[in-house]
Amino acid sequence: MYGKINSACVYGVDGRIIHVEVDISNGIPHMAIVGLPDSAIRESIDRVRAAIKNCGFTFPLARITVNLAPADLRKEGSAFDLAIALGILSTSEQVRIDKLDQFLIIGELSLNGEVRPIHGVLPMIEHAKRRGIRRVMIAADNALEAAMIKDMDIYAIHHLREFYQEPQCVVPLDLTKLQFDSTAQPTPALESFSNAAIAEDYADVIGHHQIKRALIIAAAGMHNILLVGPPGTGKTMLIRRLPTILPPLLENEALEVTKIYSVAGKLNDVHGGLLRKRPFRAPHHTISAGGLIGGGSIPKPGEVSLSHKGVLFLDELPEFTRNVLEVLRQPLEERAVTISRTRAVYKYPSHFLLAASMNPCPCGYWGAETTRQRCTCSLNKIAAYRSRISGPLLDRIDLQVEVPRVLNHRQDENPMSSAQMLERVLAAQAIQLHRYQNLPIAWNSELSGSYFRKYTKPTREADQLLEHTYETLGLSLRANDRILKLARTIADLDCKDQIDVAHIAEAIQYRNLDRNIETII
């Protein structure tokens, strides 16, 4: 006897349809699973056998072979338990379900038959919809997440016993009794994935008007930013408020980000709806390279992917190990992470805004001495401290801004609030969305190739200023291009079509470390 059921697995952050084929034949009672299963799938033999028996069904005393096709794709996780169990029950004619081949069946089984939730439901169901499958049987705890994909019939299954039928009464199971009501209005998604406090506002920041300007530019064009200054000047406070001036995720961006969090298993507390606020991740400086970019024996998204379409904040940048910082090069340049394994290659999206902070020297007071604090570092120590951040990594940071000590501690009379800053960011974003509406880019920081040459043409005087700066500071071609992209965003904030001298001059002044390193050495 032969049967086939549709199930799915996650490959990177994308879903893949897996056909669960079941063959029951005469022979010594034995069950085997083939098709490159991992240990969690091989262990499903015992889970499925116990669940079938404990729910009142009969486990066939025959030779059972389960094939997970395509056989050359490595499968991981426990999502196939329910599909394997129903494959055995339907093939042995203990359960009959109408149009079973039109269902996607995913879920983990406990020993008593309870259907448990799994990770990565969202990309699996999205892929099934593209393949023409519109009916899904899934654990009840995954039903709200599954309902994020529209025009799908979601059937919430609590227990394998729900498929039990009276002996000698083989009739189609009425699955409409199990249908999940996807028309109900979901409650807003919890935003616990973001560690930025909702109550924070730039109106609470004293002074730092030039820093706020730099942060507006960074948010308006998704440009990487580094704040350099002595302790206590508000570098961390300024960056932690950055999410308050970022525009909300677009529909396609929200789906991408939610898929990543689904695969990472971080949607357990979400009560319906796609994630709408841009992620803000702030890993500790003791994080490993694998934790930052992802990986492991069973690859999972790292912090750079969890920051996709949002902010990755690295506080005290030189305290991160050199190896950890260097692995940022590929995701910053290609906006994706590729993890190679013996049997598979995984690719995770990682288009994020890198925000970082650091002291100017090991003691923190170089260039900011007061009557009470004096820098005690030698020039060699300062050079060694800054050399922890390689030149290629600094080249990829568009804004390198010095944060000075605030001289007046009194509250500003008319401080710029997050709402006012967001208004300017949204206006610049609207210009970019209109400019790039038919192109595969959305932000000025993504410009490259022919698009870069077309949209970053400066005036003759602005080009001369940039050429002089290129020779004087000894900039790399990458730094030169990033100045032009930054100038393009500044021009958008001024609602100007062409990049002029003022825009180039402002973009150049944000290359602080290029000048300071030359001064130190």
Side-chain angles (χ1 to χ4, degrees):
M1 294 180 288
Y2 170 82
K4 185 172 76 170
I5 286 181
N6 298 318
S7 190
C9 69
V10 174
Y11 193 83
V13 292
D14 297 317
R16 292 286 184 92
I17 294 296
I18 301 297
H19 301 294
V20 179
E21 299 177 307
V22 178
D23 176 76
I24 301 178
S25 58
N26 296 328
I28 299 175
H30 175 71
M31 180 175 174
I33 299 179
V34 298
L36 289 183
D38 70 344
S39 58
I41 298 175
R42 286 192 293 268
E43 290 171 355
S44 67
I45 294 175
D46 297 319
R47 290 194 299 271
V48 168
R49 180 186 288 110
I52 288 177
K53 289 182 177 180
N54 291 329
C55 290
F57 297 104
T58 300
F59 191 83
L61 294 176
R63 184 176 181 83
I64 302 174
T65 303
V66 178
N67 179 42
L68 305 179
D72 61 343
L73 179 68
R74 186 172 180 81
K75 293 86 178 177
E76 300 166 342
S78 57
F80 302 106
D81 288 7
L82 183 59
I84 293 173
L86 288 180
I88 293 173
L89 293 176
S90 62
T91 304
S92 60
E93 299 182 348
Q94 297 182 66
V95 166
R96 181 179 298 170
I97 303 174
D98 274 346
K99 300 179 180 179
L100 185 60
D101 59 333
Q102 298 180 9
F103 281 89
L104 177 72
I105 302 174
I106 46 180
E108 178 185 333
L109 286 177
S110 68
L111 297 183
N112 68 349
E114 180 184 355
V115 183
R116 292 174 173 170
I118 59 169
H119 300 327
V121 166
L122 196 61
M124 293 181 195
I125 296 180
E126 184 201 28
H127 180 71
K129 182 179 179 180
R130 292 201 302 266
R131 293 286 296 271
I133 299 175
R134 297 304 177 101
R135 297 181 178 182
V136 181
M137 288 189 206
I138 199 168
D141 290 341
N142 284 136
L144 284 170
E145 181 182 344
M148 296 180 193
I149 305 298
K150 305 300 182 184
D151 302 323
M152 296 290 286
D153 294 329
I154 309 298
Y155 299 92
I157 311 298
H158 296 82
H159 205 282
L160 187 63
R161 193 178 292 116
E162 295 174 17
F163 296 92
Y164 185 80
Q165 299 170 351
E166 293 297 327
Q168 298 179 349
C169 183
V170 182
V171 295
L173 184 64
D174 187 6
L175 283 175
T176 57
K177 295 178 181 179
L178 306 176
Q179 189 166 2
F180 172 69
D181 183 11
S182 60
T183 61
Q185 293 295 325
T187 56
L190 296 179
E191 288 155 8
S192 56
F193 69 94
S194 173
N195 51 18
I198 297 175
E200 292 178 343
D201 194 293
Y202 277 111
D204 303 325
V205 178
I206 300 174
H208 290 316
H209 302 292
Q210 184 61 28
I211 313 304
K212 289 183 180 180
R213 165 72 174 177
L215 290 166
I216 289 174
I217 296 170
M222 288 295 282
H223 298 285
N224 303 323
I225 184 170
L226 170 64
L227 301 186
V228 185
T233 53
K235 303 184 295 297
T236 301
M237 176 186 64
L238 284 161
I239 293 181
R240 285 196 175 275
R241 283 165 168 74
L242 188 56
T244 65
I245 64 172
L246 291 175
L249 291 167
L250 303 176
E251 191 68 26
N252 61 323
E253 294 177 331
L255 181 58
E256 284 183 43
V257 173
T258 309
K259 282 170 58 177
I260 294 172
Y261 277 78
S262 174
V263 171
K266 297 185 179 295
L267 287 182
N268 295 337
D269 297 327
V270 175
H271 299 290
L274 299 175
L275 301 176
R276 295 294 178 181
K277 294 197 70 174
R278 296 186 181 273
F280 182 90
R281 306 291 299 184
H284 193 260
H285 65 262
T286 56
I287 190 172
S288 66
L292 190 64
I293 67 167
S297 57
I298 301 178
K300 293 293 182 184
E303 290 293 334
V304 296
S305 295
L306 294 174
S307 307
H308 184 57
K309 301 299 182 180
V311 178
L312 175 65
F313 176 35
L314 302 183
D315 200 6
E316 301 298 337
L317 188 63
E319 299 302 324
F320 289 80
T321 63
R322 183 67 175 260
N323 181 48
V324 168
L325 293 180
E326 291 307 302
V327 299
L328 285 173
R329 290 196 198 180
Q330 183 198 15
L332 283 174
E333 200 68 31
E334 300 180 8
R335 302 183 182 89
V337 172
T338 302
I339 299 174
S340 299
R341 292 293 180 265
T342 304
R343 294 184 178 273
V345 176
Y346 302 87
K347 192 169 185 178
Y348 298 104
S350 57
H351 182 197
F352 57 90
L353 187 162
L354 175 62
S357 67
M358 63 177 285
N359 294 327
C361 67
C363 77
Y365 295 102
W366 180 79
E369 291 87 350
T370 66
T371 55
R372 298 188 62 181
Q373 289 108 3
R374 294 284 180 181
C375 178
T376 59
C377 305
S378 66
L379 292 182
N380 288 336
K381 279 188 176 181
I382 296 174
Y385 178 75
R386 295 201 172 189
S387 67
R388 297 180 188 177
I389 308 171
S390 67
L393 181 59
L394 279 177
D395 263 356
R396 292 169 168 84
I397 300 179
D398 304 343
L399 296 101
Q400 305 159 9
V401 188
E402 290 184 353
V403 183
R405 177 174 171 267
V406 177
L407 299 178
N408 187 354
H409 68 279
R410 295 176 181 173
Q411 187 71 34
D412 294 346
E413 292 183 1
N414 297 305
M416 187 181 296
S417 67
S418 292
Q420 293 171 316
M421 296 169 70
L422 177 61
E423 184 178 354
R424 300 199 61 190
V425 170
L426 291 175
Q429 184 200 27
I431 293 174
Q432 294 171 75
L433 290 176
H434 176 73
R435 180 190 298 135
Y436 308 131
Q437 59 183 337
N438 297 320
L439 302 177
I441 57 178
W443 303 92
N444 290 328
S445 59
E446 301 176 43
L447 286 170
S448 63
S450 60
Y451 301 140
F452 172 79
R453 293 190 296 272
K454 179 178 180 181
Y455 294 111
T456 60
K457 289 182 179 179
T459 62
R460 181 179 178 182
E461 294 78 8
D463 188 54
Q464 291 174 347
L465 174 61
L466 181 58
E467 183 179 357
H468 175 72
T469 304
Y470 178 81
E471 296 294 337
T472 304
L473 297 182
L475 299 177
S476 67
L477 286 174
R478 182 188 293 113
N480 183 82
D481 291 350
R482 287 186 175 272
I483 288 175
L484 282 170
K485 295 177 189 179
L486 198 60
R488 175 69 271 169
T489 300
I490 296 171
D492 289 340
L493 286 168
D494 291 343
C495 299
K496 298 291 181 65
D497 292 331
Q498 193 166 20
I499 299 172
D500 60 28
V501 174
H503 305 140
I504 290 290
E506 184 175 359
I508 291 172
Q509 77 170 356
Y510 294 124
R511 305 294 302 190
N512 280 320
L513 291 186
D514 292 322
R515 295 195 298 270
N516 285 345
I517 288 176
E518 292 294 328
T519 303
I520 292 173
I521 298 176

